[in-house]
Amino acid sequence: MARSSSSPSLLPSPQPPLRDTVTEHSSVTIQVLDRAMRILDVLAGQRDPVALKDLAAATGLHASTTHRILADLAVGRYVERVDSGLYRLGMRLLELGSLVKGRLDVRAASMGPMRELHRQTGQTVNLSLAQGDEIVYIERAWSERSGMQVVRAIGGRAPLHLTSTGKLFLATWDARSVRSYAMRTGLAGNTRNSITQLEQLERELALVRRHGYSRDNEELELGVRCIAAGVYDDTGTLLAGLSLSAPAERMRDDWIPLLLSATTSISEALGYESQG
């Protein structure tokens, strides 16, 4: 029979759980960051400097809390105090934004959507830039398993007025610049379908502006048709053109929405905000 004992147990008495100081610190840090970002978002939505009381009201923070966070942001130049109680975004954000923009690579941003567009259509997808009076092919998506395709050499060049992507760039020019281009190049043609008259080119560019995409109807090469749409940066500037090239008899208009979806995806990755 077991003996009972009234002597105290040698086991340690239960202790209250230790406070997770790391977790608490992380929670406080995240809360402060969340509040700071709310303040920055409010400032970003206003053209003019914002008063402290209005910032507090818009963020739902106490005025003293708002003032304390603004003081810390001002030290880092994320916020600038322009007058007594008035604040606006600081130059540090511009510096950081420039760094991010400089790292954005149109080629890298384009590859995923280009591969998907090729998968959907089975045709070659080209990414091109404008250099002077020509376009330059800088990337492509294609597959030998997709049957007959039109494949352009990376680094290859072609006149602006003979290509779908080139017309995108010409369509951003004013009438005087287009006339100067026509005089410089003579609008030399490659095929019987090539646009070789200024009036014809002007009508074509008007269609490009109206529709938001462009076509090459066997103008660079007989038997080959292309459709192109633009890739834009955060300022709305045309950076590049994405084009689908196919044997003339295979080109389909129902690929146009797929092309526009791909260019929208790339543009948004580069900071462009669609107005639609």
Side-chain angles (χ1 to χ4, degrees), residues 61 70 109 124 144 152 178 190 195 200 251:
L61 300 174
L70 284 168
T124 302
E144 293 180 352
R152 304 293 186 195
V178 173
N190 275 21
I195 293 176
Q200 185 184 5
M251 181 59 74

Side-chain angles (χ1 to χ4, degrees), residues 29-68:
T29 301
I30 291 171
Q31 185 181 57
V32 171
L33 288 174
D34 175 69
R35 291 174 172 178
M37 286 187 288
R38 283 154 60 186
I39 291 172
L40 292 175
D41 284 341
V42 172
L43 289 173
Q46 301 297 320
R47 181 182 298 272
D48 298 321
V50 183
L52 171 61
K53 64 176 183 177
D54 294 329
L55 281 171
T59 57
L61 300 174
H62 194 277
S64 61
T65 301
T66 306
H67 183 267
R68 184 170 62 251

Side-chain angles (χ1 to χ4, degrees), residues 164-165 168 212-214 227-232 238 240-243 259-260 263:
S164 55
T165 292
L168 293 174
Y213 61 86
S214 57
I227 50 177
V231 173
Y232 299 87
L238 179 64
L242 199 68
S243 62
L259 172 65
L260 292 172
T263 54

Side-chain angles (χ1 to χ4, degrees), residues 1 5 15 17 47 49 67 83 90 103 106 173-174 188 199 232 260:
M1 184 175 178
S5 171
Q15 299 292 321
R47 181 182 298 272
H67 183 267
D83 202 350
R103 291 170 183 163
V106 65
W173 296 6
D174 60 28
E199 294 78 8
Y232 299 87
L260 292 172

